Amino acid sequence: MSKEEKKVNRRDFLFTASYTVGAVGVGAVIWPMIDQMNPDKAQQALATTEVDISNIEPGKSITVLWRGKPVFLKRRTSDEIAEARAVKLDDLPDPQKDEDRVKEGKDEWLVMLGVCTHLGCVPLKDKGDFNGWFCPCHGSHYDVSGRIRKGPAPTNMEIPKFEFVDSNTIKIG
Amino acid sequence: MSEHEYVPKSKAAKWFNDRLPLLTLGAHLTDYPTPKNLNYWWTFGGILTFCLITQIVTGIVLAMHYVAHADLAFASVEHIMRDVNYGWLIRYIHSNGASMFFLAVYIHIFRSLFYGSYKSPREVIWIIGLMIYLLMMAAAFMGYVLPWGQMSFWGATVITNLFSAIPLVGDSITTWLWGAYSVDNPTLNRFFSLHYLIPFLILGLVVLHIWALHVPGNNNPVGIDIKKPSKDTVPFHPYITIKDAFALLVFMIIFAGFVFFTPNVLGHSDNYIPANPLVTPAHIVPEWYLLPFYAILRSVPDKLGGVILMFSAIFILFVLPWLDTSKVRSAVFRPIYRQFFWILVIDVLMLGYVGAMPAEGIYLVLARVGTIYYFLHFIVVMPVVGYLEKTDPIPMSISEPVLIGGAEPSLARKVNDKV
């Protein structure tokens, strides 16, 4: 009798096949229940924003809303650009050249997500120890290029995908 | 558990009870033999049941007037406050009720820590209790988001961003939680749905919590196993019900004091400003009952590290029954542990205080010291003290120290004097 039990028989095959089909079925039902929570078509439709930048004076910045998040557009002065480029990469927790954070030939325009990479607060401009931004929530300091210098934030403020539609218009997204 | 089998008196009751033994359950709950020395720290189970029912009833009523939409939520809460008949009262009971719920649960948890109620054979009661506590925090957090004020919005942003610390999949998880690319209308909608669901999950767990409690029976201030029923026990009704009722009355007076005289003292005035995704308030502070964990989060100068430590601070409690090596339950007979217990209480209160302060200077130092001690208490103090400590002699029964002398000589002497 024990010999027969050890043998793989038709019932074992039926069990395995039933469990497999059952698992696929359960998965097929669960996935829509999970995926429905991801951004819907209406949210995805808000994916680009066009901004008129003709009125921004050097040294000034504006904040626009893109996908529910603030985006900082700063027209930097040549002093500020020089300051950002003078920083040694060794001094940065998340080393990145200022040149890599702007479009070539449009160095005065810093376009970045105004979202602290720590826990998502909006940093305050012209504050902090590095002449850039300061996040009031947990004390992260960013420099004039939006790079993290001090505090709990792990990375530099994110640069979104953007392009210059013409010399006065930026398209974000 | 009562030894005798319950038989309903009337024929109709017997007919029903044979088909669904609800009356047997009622009789069990009434006769349930309870240690006769339970003090007022044991009344918080009943108080917490009251809190849960209060939150469910007021919550259902509020949901009849609230609108879960980013454009309408703030106004609908003001509508409740100004236009709905007694809306102000119901909302203030609900919002202060959350605070009272946590006040009671913290006393309940620290009572368990002092008297060793989490120890064998009550580990499962303890773990179910912690699951209730976790769900309470989730419900409270989501409830705080619903008015869609500045603190609602930015609290939601900060807490959901905790998940972005997870390597690789963090950002996808955060977007999934939001249902958008930031905290937005879809987030508010699902938080409302879940906020409505969680209290009923808690209710289910409360049933399991009490069921698990009724298997070994209550722990007691002396912390010893007792025979049930015996001269060490009294029936739950009327002895415990009347004591619970009195404690509940005192608790309700304090509750009413908050609701009627300082309904906003535990909240934050920034939450009366409508949510604005472009401006973060200068000081984001969670509700008071989450402050110790917030202090732990901020004490670590690393995003992932802070998040891990904060969650560990809660999850370490789940293994507490196995970290505590002492055979003696009650801290009454543990002279060393008793002192560490009070240090832990002070430590958690201090963490709560620095959690409300800016994360800089002396506050940051205190937060770090407090965090280190919090973990030392559970990882080092509990196993080591349990192993090395010379405990005081424990009585053979609850009646013993009174009748024949024992741990409390003053009581014993009094009895002897009379004789």
Side-chain angles (χ1 to χ4, degrees), chain B residues 23-93:
Chain B
L23 297 169
T24 303
L25 177 66
H28 161 74
L29 294 175
T30 310
D31 298 341
Y32 173 63
T34 318
K36 65 180 182 183
N37 61 340
L38 295 191
N39 56 33
Y40 275 105
W41 300 114
W42 259 266
T43 59
F44 284 87
I47 287 171
L48 284 161
T49 312
F50 164 80
C51 287
L52 178 62
I53 291 166
T54 305
Q55 291 307 89
I56 289 178
V57 171
T58 52
I60 289 172
V61 174
L62 287 171
M64 295 179 185
H65 305 279
Y66 171 78
V67 186
H69 189 281
D71 297 338
L72 304 170
F74 188 88
S76 78
V77 171
E78 286 310 302
H79 161 73
I80 289 169
M81 294 302 289
R82 293 153 197 248
D83 302 340
V84 174
N85 299 332
Y86 295 104
W88 59 273
L89 176 64
I90 296 160
R91 175 165 175 260
Y92 277 153
I93 291 174

Side-chain angles (χ1 to χ4, degrees), chain A residues 33-40 43-44 46-47 63-72 115-124 134 136-139 151-154 158, chain B residues 153-154 157-159 161-164 172 175-186 190 194 277-284 294 297-298 300-303 307 359-360:
Chain A
M33 303 301 285
I34 294 172
D35 192 42
Q36 54 83 21
M37 281 176 68
N38 272 317
D40 55 29
Q43 290 292 334
Q44 290 170 9
L46 304 170
T63 305
V64 298
L65 211 55
W66 172 67
R67 284 178 157 188
K69 282 177 179 165
V71 174
F72 296 155
V115 175
C116 180
T117 54
H118 183 226
L119 295 174
C121 299
V122 180
L124 304 167
F134 172 71
C137 290
H138 307 98
E158 198 184 325
Chain B
F153 184 90
W154 291 102
T157 300
V158 167
I159 300 295
N161 263 303
L162 293 177
F163 294 93
S164 72
S172 312
T175 305
W176 176 75
L177 288 172
W178 288 337
Y181 301 101
S182 62
V183 172
D184 210 333
N185 191 48
R190 64 192 54 180
L194 295 173
L278 290 177
V279 181
T280 306
H283 291 289
I284 295 196
Y294 193 60
L297 169 77
R298 294 195 307 182
V300 186
D302 175 77
K303 183 173 169 179
V307 173
E360 55 196 31

Side-chain angles (χ1 to χ4, degrees), chain B residues 8-334:
Chain B
K9 286 197 182 81
S10 80
K11 245 185 167 176
K14 189 175 182 311
W15 179 90
F16 179 80
N17 201 53
D18 286 345
R19 280 146 186 85
L20 180 66
L22 268 186
L23 297 169
T24 303
L25 177 66
H28 161 74
L29 294 175
T30 310
D31 298 341
Y32 173 63
T34 318
K36 65 180 182 183
N37 61 340
L38 295 191
N39 56 33
Y40 275 105
W41 300 114
W42 259 266
T43 59
F44 284 87
I47 287 171
L48 284 161
T49 312
F50 164 80
C51 287
L52 178 62
I53 291 166
T54 305
Q55 291 307 89
I56 289 178
V57 171
T58 52
I60 289 172
V61 174
L62 287 171
M64 295 179 185
H65 305 279
Y66 171 78
V67 186
H69 189 281
D71 297 338
L72 304 170
F74 188 88
S76 78
V77 171
E78 286 310 302
H79 161 73
I80 289 169
M81 294 302 289
R82 293 153 197 248
D83 302 340
V84 174
N85 299 332
Y86 295 104
W88 59 273
L89 176 64
I90 296 160
R91 175 165 175 260
Y92 277 153
I93 291 174
H94 196 72
S95 59
N96 285 284
S99 283
M100 299 313 287
F101 206 155
F102 275 97
L103 176 67
V105 93
Y106 281 127
I107 295 173
H108 195 62
I109 291 171
F110 275 107
R111 188 270 289 155
S112 184
L113 286 175
F114 186 84
Y115 293 110
S117 302
Y118 52 86
K119 289 197 228 191
S120 172
R122 297 184 181 82
E123 301 94 325
V124 172
I125 312 174
W126 171 253
I127 287 168
I128 293 170
L130 288 173
M131 289 162 74
I132 294 172
Y133 174 53
L134 279 178
L135 283 178
M136 277 174 64
M137 289 198 281
F141 159 64
M142 291 189 201
Y144 196 56
V145 175
L146 301 184
W148 213 240
Q150 272 290 67
M151 278 292 162
S152 300
F153 184 90
W154 291 102
T157 300
V158 167
I159 300 295
T160 48
N161 263 303
L162 293 177
F163 294 93
S164 72
I166 302 167
L168 302 175
V169 293
D171 284 331
S172 312
I173 289 177
T174 314
T175 305
W176 176 75
L177 288 172
W178 288 337
Y181 301 101
S182 62
V183 172
D184 210 333
N185 191 48
T187 324
L188 177 60
N189 261 291
R190 64 192 54 180
F191 277 19
F192 180 56
S193 170
L194 295 173
H195 182 72
Y196 207 114
L197 164 72
I198 289 174
F200 297 98
L201 297 181
I202 293 177
L203 192 62
L205 284 175
V206 166
V207 171
L208 295 183
H209 194 60
I210 295 171
W211 185 2
L213 169 70
H214 280 232
V215 175
N218 288 70
N219 184 30
N220 64 79
V222 189
I224 55 170
D225 292 321
I226 52 171
K227 278 205 201 93
K228 291 162 293 207
S230 70
K231 62 179 179 166
D232 279 347
T233 67
V234 289
F236 188 78
H237 182 74
Y239 294 96
I240 303 298
T241 42
I242 197 70
K243 189 164 186 158
D244 275 0
F246 178 70
L248 180 60
L249 200 69
V250 175
F251 184 81
M252 283 163 81
I253 291 171
I254 299 167
F255 193 155
F258 277 108
V259 169
F260 290 106
F261 295 102
T262 58
N264 288 305
V265 73
L266 297 170
H268 202 294
S269 52
D270 274 348
N271 220 29
Y272 284 103
I273 304 169
N276 180 354
L278 290 177
V279 181
T280 306
H283 291 289
I284 295 196
V285 197
E287 292 283 80
W288 68 268
Y289 38 80
L290 302 175
L291 286 173
F293 300 109
Y294 193 60
I296 291 173
L297 169 77
R298 294 195 307 182
S299 70
V300 186
D302 175 77
K303 183 173 169 179
L304 182 60
V307 173
I308 288 175
L309 218 59
M310 185 185 72
F311 282 108
S312 306
I314 299 167
F315 285 107
I316 197 167
L317 298 172
F318 280 84
V319 290
L320 184 62
W322 296 276
L323 288 173
D324 186 348
T325 52
S326 177
K327 295 276 180 287
V328 176
R329 287 197 196 100
S330 174
V332 170
F333 305 104
R334 301 185 59 191

Side-chain angles (χ1 to χ4, degrees), chain A residues 36-91:
Chain A
Q36 54 83 21
M37 281 176 68
N38 272 317
D40 55 29
K41 298 286 185 295
Q43 290 292 334
Q44 290 170 9
L46 304 170
T48 62
T49 302
E50 288 199 5
V51 190
D52 178 9
I53 54 170
S54 55
N55 292 329
I56 307 171
E57 302 288 330
K60 299 286 175 199
S61 68
I62 63 164
T63 305
V64 298
L65 211 55
W66 172 67
R67 284 178 157 188
K69 282 177 179 165
V71 174
F72 296 155
L73 292 95
K74 186 175 169 77
R75 184 168 179 185
R76 301 183 298 176
T77 61
S78 48
D79 287 350
E80 286 170 332
I81 297 170
E83 184 189 329
R85 298 199 171 171
V87 178
K88 273 186 263 163
L89 283 186
D90 293 344
D91 294 342

